[in-house]
């Protein structure tokens, strides 16, 4: 059975404010995310439907706190929380030092990541 850890993941990168270590398993991607800074992702999702993430994520917060904004409410996830974030969310706050695991359908994640990387480049913030 395949397995991965933050140290053995072969994909992702260091993007300054965030370190993303990831690996694909079949139709799913496992991401280990570490945030060095508070990041409001709203500018990064410009161009996606409703300027929101269209990829669902299942996750677990190892350390810190993150807030996802939905059309009608906010969800705050704390250390020790497992979560499900359906499509239609935007991460608007990530406490510096936060670490979490995220599992996502690879195709949807790839489409979302392409837009994020394009927007990062336009903002002049690529690693």
């Amino acid at each position: 059975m395949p397995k991965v850890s933050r140290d053995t993941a072969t994909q992702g990168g260091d993007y300054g404010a965030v370190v993303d270590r990831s690996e694909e398993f079949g139709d799913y991607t496992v991401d280990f995310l570490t945030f060095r800074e508070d990041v409001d992702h709203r500018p990064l999702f410009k161009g996606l439907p409703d300027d929101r993430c269209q990829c669902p994520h299942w996750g677990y917060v190892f350390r810190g706190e993150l807030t996802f904004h939905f059309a009608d409410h906010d969800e705050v996830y704390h250390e020790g929380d497992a979560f499900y974030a359906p499509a239609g969310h935007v991460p608007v706050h990530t406490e510096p030092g936060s670490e979490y695991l995220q599992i996502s359908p690879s195709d949807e994640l790839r489409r979302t990541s392409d837009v994020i990387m394009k927007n990062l480049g336009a903002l002049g913030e690529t690693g």
Side-chain angles (χ1 to χ4, degrees):
M1 178 183 278
K3 66 177 185 173
V4 69
S5 72
R6 182 184 342 250
D7 296 329
T8 63
T10 62
Q11 299 171 8
D14 186 334
Y15 303 102
V18 62
V19 177
D20 176 6
R21 299 290 180 229
S22 62
E23 197 72 46
E24 284 190 42
F25 291 124
D27 295 337
Y28 291 89
T29 298
V30 175
D31 288 286
F32 295 91
L33 297 149
T34 302
F35 281 78
R36 294 182 178 123
E37 300 172 19
D38 186 8
V39 177
D40 179 347
H41 288 74
R42 284 178 277 213
L44 303 177
F45 289 106
K46 296 287 184 194
L48 289 168
D50 297 323
D51 295 331
R52 297 177 179 276
C53 182
Q54 299 302 302
C55 181
H57 311 287
W58 294 260
Y60 181 81
V61 182
F62 296 111
R63 181 181 308 163
E65 175 185 288
L66 48 144
T67 304
F68 285 8
H69 178 72
F70 294 86
D72 60 349
H73 71 287
D74 288 346
E75 289 286 341
V76 181
Y77 309 113
H78 301 275
E79 182 173 322
D81 286 346
F83 66 88
Y84 170 66
H89 64 275
V90 179
V92 294
H93 164 71
T94 309
E95 182 179 282
S98 292
E99 298 178 359
Y100 65 99
L101 170 76
Q102 175 177 282
I103 300 169
S104 315
S106 295
D107 287 343
E108 288 95 333
L109 183 62
R110 194 173 299 107
R111 286 192 293 272
T112 298
S113 294
D114 288 348
V115 171
I116 289 171
M117 296 310 288
K118 180 181 136 210
N119 287 333
L120 270 173
L123 293 170
E125 296 180 14
T126 53

